[in-house]
Amino acid sequence: MITPEDVEFHPVENDSPIWAETNFFGFYNTEEHLNIGVYALFRPQLGVVHSTISMNDHDALEPWRANFFDHRAHLPIPEPQRLSDYSLLNGLHVTCTEPNMNWRIEYDDGAGTTIDVEYRALMQPFDIADPDMDPITAARAKEEDFAWGEAYNGHFDQTGHYTGEVSIRRRTIPIDCVSTMDHSWGPRAERGAPNMSWLHAHVDDNYAVHAIWSFDHTGETDELTLNHGYAMVDGHAYGLASGSGRTTRDKHLYAREVELQVTDSRGEAHELRGTGLTRFPWQAWPNMVGFNVLARWTVNGREGYGELQDFVETTHLAALADRGTTSSAV
C-alpha cells in the first residue's frame, strides 16, 4: 500500500550505489500528436540525477531529430533531498501539492522551451507489489523470492489529468489530456534489466487501461506476457488478473500495431487495439533504449490515446544485430 510518505526518498538498502528513485510524467496534445516526457532518475548514494525532457510529434528515428530533447546525466541532487519539491540545474522544477496525488511540473531551458502543467490524480496510486491491489502479484506471492526486476520492487502507477501548456522555442501548445505517471525505487543496475513494455490507453477521466508487459523482441512480431496493470473505471483501479497481447513492429523496432485482451479483478474484459503515430528513441538511462510511440487506441470500441514505451538494452540489440538473428535488428 502506498502511503503519503512514499512521495519522498526511500531508505537506500545496503548502501547500494546503484539504488535509484525515479519520477516520470508523460502527457501529450492529440491534435499535434505531440508527446512529452519528463523524467528524473536519482542516485542518492552518488548524489546525482539523470534527467531527460523530450518532446516529439513525428518520426524521429534519432534523438536529435525530435522537436526537443534535453538529456543530462550528472546533475547534482539539491539539498535537502526532497522528491516533493526539487529544482534541477537543467531548469526542471517539480512540486507535489498533495502527496502522491497532485503535482506541478515546470521547466525552462532558458532558450524558449518551457513546460507549465499541473497533474491531478484520477485514482489512488496503484501499488504493483500489493497483493490486495494486484491479482498477478497475489498469485505469484507463493513463488519463492519472486521479484519482477529489482528496480520495481517499489513502484506505483497512476492515471491523472494534465492541464497547462508547453512551448517549443516560443511556439506554445496547450495541454489537456488524461495520461499516466509513475514512481519507482530500488536497485537499478545499468545492465541486465528485462525487456519491458510500459503502456497505457486513456478514453476520458473515467476510463483508462494501463499495463506492464514482458516480451522477447527478437522479431517483427512480439507475443506479450502480462506482468501488472489495471483498468481505471470511474475513479477506481481494478487490477488486471490476466491478459494476452501482440505487438507488430516496423523494421526500426517501433510498435506499429498492438492488440491486447485483458481481464480485470471483477472479471470484466477490455479489448484494445493501438496504432503508432510517432517514433522516438528515448535514452532513459545508460545502456537502454525506450522505443517510444504515441498511439491512437480503441478500447472496447471507444477512441483513446496513450503512450507505448518498449524498453530494450543496447547490449541485447547489439547482440541480435551481430548474430543476424532478426531481420528487424538494423
Side-chain angles (χ1 to χ4, degrees), residues 88-111:
L88 304 182
L89 291 182
N90 63 346
L92 176 63
H93 182 199
V94 173
T95 308
C96 185
T97 56
E98 181 181 350
N100 302 315
M101 295 299 288
N102 299 326
W103 278 266
R104 183 167 184 182
I105 302 101
E106 300 170 278
Y107 171 77
D108 189 340
D109 80 333

Side-chain angles (χ1 to χ4, degrees), residues 128-132 134-147:
I128 67 172
D130 186 343
D132 291 332
D134 193 317
I136 294 176
T137 293
R140 292 177 175 176
K142 298 178 182 179
E143 300 176 19
E144 186 177 356
D145 298 327
F146 166 73

Side-chain angles (χ1 to χ4, degrees), residues 225-236:
T225 300
L226 180 64
N227 286 283
H228 303 283
Y230 58 81
M232 186 202 73
V233 182
D234 295 330
H236 186 85

Side-chain angles (χ1 to χ4, degrees), residues 2 6 8-10 19-24 39-42 44 83 128 148-157 181-188 196 198 212 285:
I2 301 301
D6 285 314
E8 300 290 1
F9 284 101
H10 295 77
W19 184 272
E21 191 113 14
T22 72
N23 277 142
F24 174 78
Y39 184 67
L41 186 155
F42 295 81
L83 276 179
I128 67 172
W148 184 73
E150 288 184 333
Y152 299 90
N153 286 352
H155 177 92
F156 72 78
D157 300 288
M181 62 83 64
D182 75 2
H183 179 192
S184 298
W185 58 94
R188 184 176 303 207
M196 176 179 70
W198 189 91
I212 303 174
W285 57 86

Side-chain angles (χ1 to χ4, degrees), residues 47-52 72-78 88-92:
V48 297
V49 189
H50 182 107
S51 179
T52 67
R72 311 288 184 99
H74 295 97
L75 299 167
I77 298 178
L88 304 182
L89 291 182
N90 63 346
L92 176 63

